[in-house]
Amino acid sequence: MLYQTTYRNVKVPTGTQSLDFDSQSYAPLRSVYERNHLKSLEVIAKDFQSRFQDVLICGTGGSSLGAKTLCALSKAPSARIHFMDNVDPDTFERLFVRLNPKTTGIVIVSKSGSTVETLMQTLTLKAVWGNAILSNVVMITEPTPNPLRKLGESWGVTILDHPQDIGGRFSCFSVVGLLPALISGVDVSALLEGAQKALEAHEADVSGPAFVASYCHLKLDKPNHVLMPYCDRLLPFAFWWKQLWAESLGKETKGFTPIESLGTVDQHSQLQLYLDGPQDKFFTIITTSQKGLGWKVEGIPLFEGKTMGDLIVAEQEATIETLASRGCPLRVVHLETLNETSLGSLLMHFMIETIVTADLLDVNAFDQPAVEHGKELTRQILAA
Amino acid sequence: MLYQTTYRNVKVPTGTQSLDFDSQSYAPLRSVYERNHLKSLEVIAKDFQSRFQDVLICGTGGSSLGAKTLCALSKAPSARIHFMDNVDPDTFERLFVRLNPKTTGIVIVSKSGSTVETLMQTLTLKAVWGNAILSNVVMITEPTPNPLRKLGESWGVTILDHPQDIGGRFSCFSVVGLLPALISGVDVSALLEGAQKALEAHEADVSGPAFVASYCHLKLDKPNHVLMPYCDRLLPFAFWWKQLWAESLGKETKGFTPIESLGTVDQHSQLQLYLDGPQDKFFTIITTSQKGLGWKVEGIPLFEGKTMGDLIVAEQEATIETLASRGCPLRVVHLETLNETSLGSLLMHFMIETIVTADLLDVNAFDQPAVEHGKELTRQILAA
């Protein structure tokens, strides 16, 4: 495995559990085996890299969070990537001041093609920047006669198909995640390989780490789940997971409230509450091997000959031990190295864990019925 | 008042409540009346603006979150402000590639002067960039013989006093918040005026909005508190509030778990859970008047003649109505305009609300005893 899991203060089930599981549930994840579309995506990405200094990814929720997570691995992107996931006019005003439309590429993503925020972003870009930007636009939407596709067709822009059988929050290994990743120079082959390994391992033994975790969640029944990576590049991953966990499980008064946290930052913000506040939380701490990374410093005896990496490693250990000694239930997910392969495995693991947990909770992991009313109400208020 | 509060699904107390309240609790907030130090801070800020293209604010928790909140109001900062609040070597490596030490100003903030992260950041900057940067450094720390001050004195850098009677999370109106705000061009006089108005209003009538809110929190007893602004510039405010609420109240198994959220983004991530998951949340939605802001668009009948501002206003209304119709307890805090004055009031309001709630919960709002063990353990692991 590309990651190791250890538990503290949790009675972990042992032995094979019988899981009466409909393997159809994994169908959206199997897109990870597809490689045929990579060539054509690479062509688009190369074109973007050669023509643009800035790239806007317009989209929200599942159309944004997975791509953001992947792009966070980018070492030295040739273009600045901006994720536009809101409809705040002030943010767009600042954008228009800073960017040159001639050197700005635009990727517009909406599965349904009727997401009002994404449509408003699209029409605003067109209203302000004019027709000249249309040759800079790529759209990703379902092959249905939806509003976004109709706009794109009438404008003559490139349109890629969003897979119809993959919901937004499970779409990071499809074109939705891969095109932005390729544009920002991320190794998507390694990513898909890592993801594939995690899926294969799970299909070979369904009582593996995803099942163990899901079983623990149900047994422990802590209402709040904290995910705390000790690594800046994994913060977007925590936000991606928040959507996955909240929307897939939060229904019929079931589910858990996901809370993103960042080490060491939140030691100075949330840790007091975690340790001494209501004991209603399960913790997942994500650690990486950073020992010796950084620069040797001098000037303070405690740090003599130590590096920043030594400090963050000492702090993650101290937090784990402190939580454990307080009796807080937690697991540590350790990545030896954070790279495309291990991130692919991690993403896949958490998608499987979500699907298995939904199955154990007896909820549908793939819908989000409660938000439909608000969408309808927005249209009514806007039309009034 | 510079903001209006309305409640839904909450039985709000009416009539004056007797509050046996030690007015000493507000002492840290009274720093808002001080204006004498502004002149000298302005001189430093002007110097930074004239010399630097980039400014690093090194500090974590209360040494970072308040300043970040204030700087988010900056319209067109002359320098790029980078908040360095973590000790991830990879993040610093990327920083060293991008920045020129000659045109980079550095503000280093630690109240105690012994925060290991801040000390490590400081020594790393010195190790990599050398003595040449020392003339670019300003430190903010208590007037005690602490490690940071000793370093600063031996290096001959400018050192400003962190007030000893104001804890980090209540320090946004002190030099800790004001210096970064001035550097990024924020109107701190208006900010302090807004804050002062909110404090004066509360001291004139302690049964005002802060008391009402605190009383509702206790009566409702929802374990999770969600703060959801519909405004990108208020996202750092939500993170500032998270520290304030978590560290001040989260002790002796009491307190509430703060959750930051952002409209409209989290409608596509967390709203499904809020509406249909466990009913364990109280919501504070922060709205602003954005109607008509942005650019008129065309191409889709629903949006004909509408703007992005019209859409975000329709969405915030729809979310409020949807939460209310599901029976979720919530309050709406409405700012007519987001500017320095209204942000000052908002910050002050939430500090007062925190102190009053701590009083009603019978916990000390100003300490964070549970994290001391982990700090000690970090030192032990590092020394081993």
Side-chain angles (χ1 to χ4, degrees):
Chain A
M1 289 304 277
L2 292 155
Y3 54 90
Q4 296 112 37
T5 309
T6 48
Y7 286 84
R8 307 286 293 268
N9 298 321
V10 177
K11 235 187 125 182
V12 178
T14 51
T16 309
Q17 310 285 330
S18 81
L19 241 194
D20 177 20
F21 205 76
D22 179 3
S23 67
Q24 265 308 96
S25 305
Y26 300 127
L29 309 184
R30 296 221 176 84
S31 72
V32 82
Y33 295 112
E34 272 178 41
R35 297 288 193 281
N36 291 337
H37 58 333
L38 288 186
K39 275 266 169 289
S40 63
L41 294 182
E42 274 165 17
V43 171
I44 298 173
K46 286 230 163 75
D47 174 51
F48 265 59
Q49 288 172 340
S50 69
R51 290 166 62 205
F52 304 128
Q53 284 174 13
D54 293 272
V55 174
L56 307 183
I57 314 287
C58 297
T60 190
S63 298
S64 162
L65 293 160
K68 214 183 269 186
T69 304
L70 303 185
C71 290
L73 282 201
S74 171
K75 289 287 175 202
S78 61
R80 286 178 293 265
I81 315 280
H82 310 263
F83 287 91
M84 309 307 294
D85 55 1
N86 208 351
V87 283
D88 185 327
D90 175 61
T91 303
F92 272 78
E93 204 171 316
R94 281 181 282 163
L95 191 83
F96 290 133
V97 169
R98 283 157 52 215
L99 301 196
N100 177 353
K102 285 183 188 145
T103 55
T104 301
I106 303 169
V107 180
I108 298 169
V109 190
S110 167
K111 179 176 193 290
S112 70
S114 59
T115 312
V116 288
E117 292 89 347
T118 315
L119 288 169
M120 177 57 86
Q121 293 177 337
T122 305
L123 294 177
T124 298
L125 291 172
K126 171 101 168 3
V128 176
W129 278 343
N131 289 332
I133 58 156
L134 296 181
S135 56
N136 300 3
V137 172
V138 171
M139 290 182 176
I140 300 174
T141 188
E142 284 180 336
T144 57
N146 64 60
L148 184 65
R149 182 172 284 265
K150 281 185 200 164
L151 279 181
E153 285 172 352
S154 74
W155 295 344
V157 309
T158 306
I159 306 178
L160 305 177
D161 286 348
H162 190 304
Q164 289 188 275
D165 54 347
I166 304 180
R169 59 186 179 271
F170 294 94
S171 71
C172 60
F173 297 126
S174 79
V175 52
V176 175
L178 298 182
L179 181 59
L182 282 165
I183 291 171
S184 66
V186 167
D187 180 350
V188 304
S189 299
L191 178 87
L192 293 173
E193 237 167 73
Q196 198 175 317
K197 271 188 196 157
L199 182 57
E200 282 165 357
H202 180 71
E203 300 213 270
D205 174 16
V206 294
S207 66
F211 173 74
V212 168
S214 305
Y215 181 89
C216 292
H217 296 318
L218 258 74
K219 279 280 169 193
L220 284 166
D221 203 23
K222 293 285 185 188
N224 292 336
H225 288 193
V226 176
L227 186 96
M228 188 176 191
Y230 269 78
C231 177
D232 288 342
R233 283 193 200 260
L234 282 174
L235 186 57
F237 171 81
F239 281 92
W240 168 85
W241 165 80
K242 263 179 89 169
Q243 184 200 8
L244 185 71
W245 207 234
E247 274 196 338
S248 305
L249 306 180
K251 39 201 80 162
E252 303 167 28
T253 75
K254 298 175 192 172
F256 311 95
T257 296
I259 296 170
E260 96 290 347
S261 197
L262 180 66
T264 64
V265 176
D266 279 317
Q267 293 177 206
H268 300 272
S269 169
Q270 302 301 303
L271 188 58
Q272 165 69 35
L273 170 81
Y274 296 165
L275 291 169
D276 203 27
Q279 294 303 294
D280 55 4
K281 298 176 185 70
F282 171 79
F283 298 87
T284 299
I285 315 280
I286 305 185
T287 61
T288 59
S289 292
Q290 307 205 52
K291 212 163 179 161
L293 296 184
W295 308 263
K296 283 198 179 163
V297 299
E298 48 186 28
I300 287 181
L302 178 68
F303 292 153
E304 220 52 56
K306 304 286 180 185
T307 68
M308 192 176 273
D310 294 332
L311 178 61
I312 199 168
V313 165
E315 299 218 45
Q316 71 196 14
E317 278 183 45
T319 298
I320 291 163
E321 288 311 317
T322 308
L323 283 166
S325 71
R326 287 267 180 163
C328 301
L330 68 95
R331 71 171 149 175
V332 179
V333 177
H334 180 72
L335 309 181
E336 200 48 36
T337 314
L338 174 65
N339 56 25
E340 281 85 345
T341 320
S342 62
L343 181 65
S345 276
L346 201 64
L347 286 157
M348 181 59 83
H349 167 91
F350 278 94
M351 289 198 279
I352 298 170
E353 180 172 325
T354 301
I355 294 170
V356 175
T357 304
D359 192 71
L360 295 178
L361 284 174
D362 198 22
V363 296
N364 180 348
F366 303 104
D367 66 358
Q368 52 284 334
V371 295
E372 294 309 322
H373 175 65
K375 289 184 186 174
E376 184 45 39
L377 202 53
T378 295
R379 288 168 180 274
Q380 284 172 22
I381 294 169
L382 206 58
Chain B
M1 289 307 275
L2 291 154
Y3 54 91
Q4 295 111 37
T5 309
T6 48
Y7 285 85
R8 308 286 294 268
N9 298 322
V10 177
K11 234 187 128 185
V12 178
T14 52
T16 310
Q17 311 284 330
S18 80
L19 242 194
D20 178 20
F21 206 74
D22 180 3
S23 67
Q24 265 309 94
S25 305
Y26 300 127
L29 308 184
R30 295 218 177 85
S31 73
V32 82
Y33 295 112
E34 273 178 41
R35 297 287 192 283
N36 291 337
H37 59 331
L38 289 186
K39 275 267 171 286
S40 64
L41 294 183
E42 274 164 17
V43 172
I44 298 173
K46 285 229 163 76
D47 175 50
F48 266 58
Q49 288 172 341
S50 69
R51 290 165 62 205
F52 304 128
Q53 284 174 11
D54 293 272
V55 174
L56 308 183
I57 314 287
C58 297
T60 189
S63 298
S64 161
L65 293 160
K68 214 183 268 186
T69 304
L70 303 185
C71 291
L73 283 201
S74 171
K75 290 287 175 201
S78 61
R80 286 177 293 264
I81 315 281
H82 310 263
F83 287 90
M84 309 307 294
D85 55 0
N86 208 351
V87 283
D88 185 327
D90 175 62
T91 303
F92 271 78
E93 202 171 319
R94 281 181 282 163
L95 191 83
F96 290 132
V97 169
R98 283 157 51 214
L99 301 197
N100 177 352
K102 285 185 189 145
T103 54
T104 301
I106 303 169
V107 180
I108 299 170
V109 190
S110 166
K111 180 177 192 288
S112 69
S114 59
T115 313
V116 288
E117 292 89 346
T118 315
L119 288 169
M120 178 56 85
Q121 293 177 337
T122 304
L123 294 177
T124 298
L125 291 172
K126 171 102 169 2
V128 176
W129 278 343
N131 289 332
I133 59 156
L134 296 181
S135 56
N136 300 4
V137 172
V138 171
M139 290 182 175
I140 300 173
T141 188
E142 283 180 337
T144 57
N146 63 61
L148 183 65
R149 182 172 285 266
K150 282 184 199 163
L151 280 180
E153 284 172 352
S154 75
W155 295 345
V157 309
T158 306
I159 306 179
L160 304 177
D161 286 349
H162 190 304
Q164 290 189 275
D165 55 347
I166 304 180
R169 59 186 180 271
F170 293 94
S171 71
C172 60
F173 297 126
S174 78
V175 52
V176 174
L178 297 182
L179 181 59
L182 282 165
I183 291 171
S184 65
V186 167
D187 180 349
V188 304
S189 299
L191 179 87
L192 293 173
E193 236 167 75
Q196 199 174 315
K197 271 189 195 155
L199 182 57
E200 282 166 357
H202 180 72
E203 300 214 270
D205 174 16
V206 294
S207 67
F211 173 74
V212 169
S214 305
Y215 181 89
C216 292
H217 296 319
L218 259 74
K219 278 281 169 189
L220 284 167
D221 203 24
K222 292 286 185 186
N224 292 336
H225 288 192
V226 176
L227 186 95
M228 187 176 191
Y230 269 78
C231 176
D232 288 342
R233 284 193 199 261
L234 282 174
L235 185 58
F237 171 81
F239 282 91
W240 168 85
W241 165 80
K242 263 179 88 168
Q243 184 200 9
L244 184 72
W245 208 235
E247 274 196 339
S248 304
L249 306 180
K251 39 202 81 165
E252 301 167 29
T253 74
K254 298 175 192 172
F256 311 95
T257 297
I259 296 170
E260 96 291 346
S261 196
L262 180 65
T264 65
V265 175
D266 279 317
Q267 293 178 206
H268 301 273
S269 169
Q270 302 301 302
L271 189 58
Q272 165 69 36
L273 170 81
Y274 296 165
L275 292 169
D276 202 27
Q279 294 304 294
D280 55 4
K281 297 176 186 70
F282 171 79
F283 298 88
T284 299
I285 315 281
I286 305 185
T287 61
T288 59
S289 291
Q290 308 204 53
K291 212 164 180 161
L293 295 184
W295 308 262
K296 283 198 179 164
V297 299
E298 50 186 28
I300 287 182
L302 177 68
F303 292 154
E304 219 54 54
K306 304 286 180 186
T307 68
M308 192 176 273
D310 294 331
L311 178 61
I312 199 168
V313 166
E315 298 217 46
Q316 71 196 15
E317 279 181 40
T319 297
I320 290 163
E321 288 310 318
T322 308
L323 283 165
S325 71
R326 286 267 180 163
C328 301
L330 68 95
R331 72 170 150 177
V332 178
V333 177
H334 180 71
L335 309 181
E336 199 47 35
T337 314
L338 174 65
N339 56 25
E340 281 86 345
T341 320
S342 61
L343 181 65
S345 275
L346 201 65
L347 287 157
M348 181 58 83
H349 167 90
F350 278 93
M351 289 198 279
I352 298 171
E353 180 172 324
T354 301
I355 294 171
V356 174
T357 304
D359 192 70
L360 295 178
L361 284 174
D362 198 21
V363 297
N364 180 349
F366 303 105
D367 67 357
Q368 52 282 336
V371 294
E372 294 309 321
H373 175 66
K375 289 184 187 175
E376 185 44 41
L377 202 54
T378 295
R379 288 168 181 276
Q380 284 172 22
I381 295 169
L382 206 58

